Amino acid sequence: MLYFCGRALAHIRRNPFVAGVTVLTVAVVFLVLGVLAIAGHNLARLAARLETGLQVVVFLEDDAAEDALGGIRTRLSGSPWVGRVTHVSRGQALERFRERLGAEATVLEGLGDNPLPASFEIELSPQGRSPQNVRELAQELISLAGVEEVQYGQGWLDRYHDFMGAARLIGIFIGALIAFATLVVVSNTIRLSVYARQDEIEILKLMGATDRFVRAPFYLEGLSLATLGAAAGLGLTWMLFFLVASDRIIPMGPGLHDMSIEFLPPLVGAGMVLGGAAVGLLGTATSLGRHLKG
């Protein structure tokens, strides 16, 4: 192993320009991947925050009987998709509305009867936050006696899940392109290294060296260059994040705490570097399979 490492290091020292360009190219590629990963990570955090604040509001008829209200409570308490239920009376609804108007609440002074209905505000359980489950729950509730209307942000919920699905597909596609670009860069570097050492390889073969013995330094070279490039790209990503986004805050609106932008979790960063190493090995194998036969 010491011999293989020494040969790989010698290969890199003989062509420092090629090695440097390879590491720099891989670093830039992983910088793009890191920026996309940060965006995806924070979008996932934002989605979790928004899902936590998702509510279903059941507006009640003004003349709903107590039996009907009891039936609604029973249905809600027995649903696995319901987390917490809060009953808001008509008086409480009017008081909330008055607080939201603030200084403009004087417009309510001439109001006669309270026009706002009583309601049940439902916080959904984690398994109840999918669009399909929310729709099914809303359809069941609207059919109950005493229920006038059910609101859960239908249009927003559909657009939100469509956006998240599209974002995941785009992320997978771009990640695949980046992995392919890294593979091509490392493969071309190893191909040049093989061409530059044809005489050396022939001598080793004449001396009885096996294919594995000849190929091992090239694998270590490809592994080293790709790993260094991925680590450098992650470092550049951190620098860019620190300069641009480390102090950014995403306002979440009423009822939710504002969200700061986070850097990638350590496991994700380690996974990026390990992924770069794996792609480096694959690129080396591809190049050696085509240009170092026999």
Side-chain angles (χ1 to χ4, degrees):
M1 183 56 68
L2 289 176
Y3 169 79
F4 293 148
C5 291
R7 297 308 304 162
L9 184 60
H11 292 177
I12 294 173
R13 285 178 174 176
R14 288 178 186 176
N15 293 286
F17 178 77
V18 174
V21 170
T22 300
V23 171
L24 180 60
T25 304
V26 174
V28 172
V29 168
F30 271 80
L31 170 62
V32 176
L33 179 61
V35 171
L36 292 174
I38 290 175
H41 171 64
N42 286 279
L43 275 177
R45 293 176 59 232
L46 178 61
R49 287 283 192 94
L50 293 175
E51 286 182 349
T52 301
L54 183 63
Q55 281 190 338
V56 175
V57 181
V58 180
F59 293 103
L60 306 174
E61 296 176 352
D62 293 340
D63 56 351
E66 189 61 34
D67 291 344
L69 297 181
I72 297 172
R73 289 191 180 94
T74 300
R75 174 66 187 85
L76 293 176
S77 62
S79 174
W81 300 334
V82 175
R84 188 174 66 176
V85 179
T86 303
H87 179 257
V88 180
S89 66
R90 297 180 65 191
Q92 289 173 326
L94 182 61
E95 186 60 30
R96 284 185 180 181
F97 188 47
R98 192 186 305 276
E99 291 177 359
R100 290 176 182 174
L101 288 176
E104 299 178 358
T106 54
V107 299
L108 301 176
E109 293 179 358
L111 194 65
D113 294 336
N114 182 359
L116 300 180
S119 63
F120 287 110
E121 294 180 348
I122 305 168
E123 293 184 12
L124 300 170
S125 63
Q127 61 268 31
R129 292 170 187 164
S130 68
Q132 183 62 30
N133 291 344
V134 174
R135 288 193 198 95
E136 290 183 7
L137 178 62
Q139 290 171 0
E140 291 181 16
L141 294 175
I142 196 63
S143 63
L144 298 178
V147 175
E148 181 175 354
E149 185 182 357
V150 178
Q151 291 185 358
Y152 58 91
Q154 299 91 322
W156 174 87
L157 187 63
D158 291 336
R159 289 193 298 272
Y160 157 72
H161 278 273
D162 289 344
F163 170 76
M164 291 303 297
R168 291 188 187 97
L169 289 176
I170 293 173
I172 292 172
F173 177 73
I174 294 178
L177 285 180
I178 287 174
F180 179 74
T182 304
L183 187 148
V184 170
V185 170
V186 174
S187 178
N188 287 335
T189 300
I190 299 302
R191 176 173 60 84
L192 293 175
S193 184
V194 170
Y195 284 157
R197 294 166 182 81
Q198 286 290 350
D199 293 340
E200 177 184 336
I201 293 170
E202 290 180 5
I203 293 173
L204 288 173
K205 290 278 191 177
L206 291 174
M207 294 176 63
T210 63
D211 289 343
R212 291 182 179 179
F213 188 89
V214 173
R215 293 174 184 231
F218 292 103
Y219 276 108
L220 288 175
E221 182 180 355
L223 174 66
S224 300
L225 294 177
T227 303
L228 285 174
L234 186 62
L236 291 174
T237 303
W238 183 86
M239 292 176 60
L240 183 63
F241 170 82
F242 180 78
L243 293 174
V244 175
S246 60
D247 57 348
R248 300 289 181 180
I249 300 295
I250 301 176
M252 297 297 295
L256 293 173
H257 296 293
D258 293 343
M259 190 184 82
S260 60
I261 299 179
E262 285 185 356
F263 190 66
L264 296 173
L267 287 179
V268 175
M272 286 178 57
V273 176
L274 291 176
V279 173
L281 289 175
L282 182 60
T284 303
T286 302
S287 182
L288 293 180
R290 294 173 56 191
H291 304 289
L292 186 58
K293 299 179 180 180

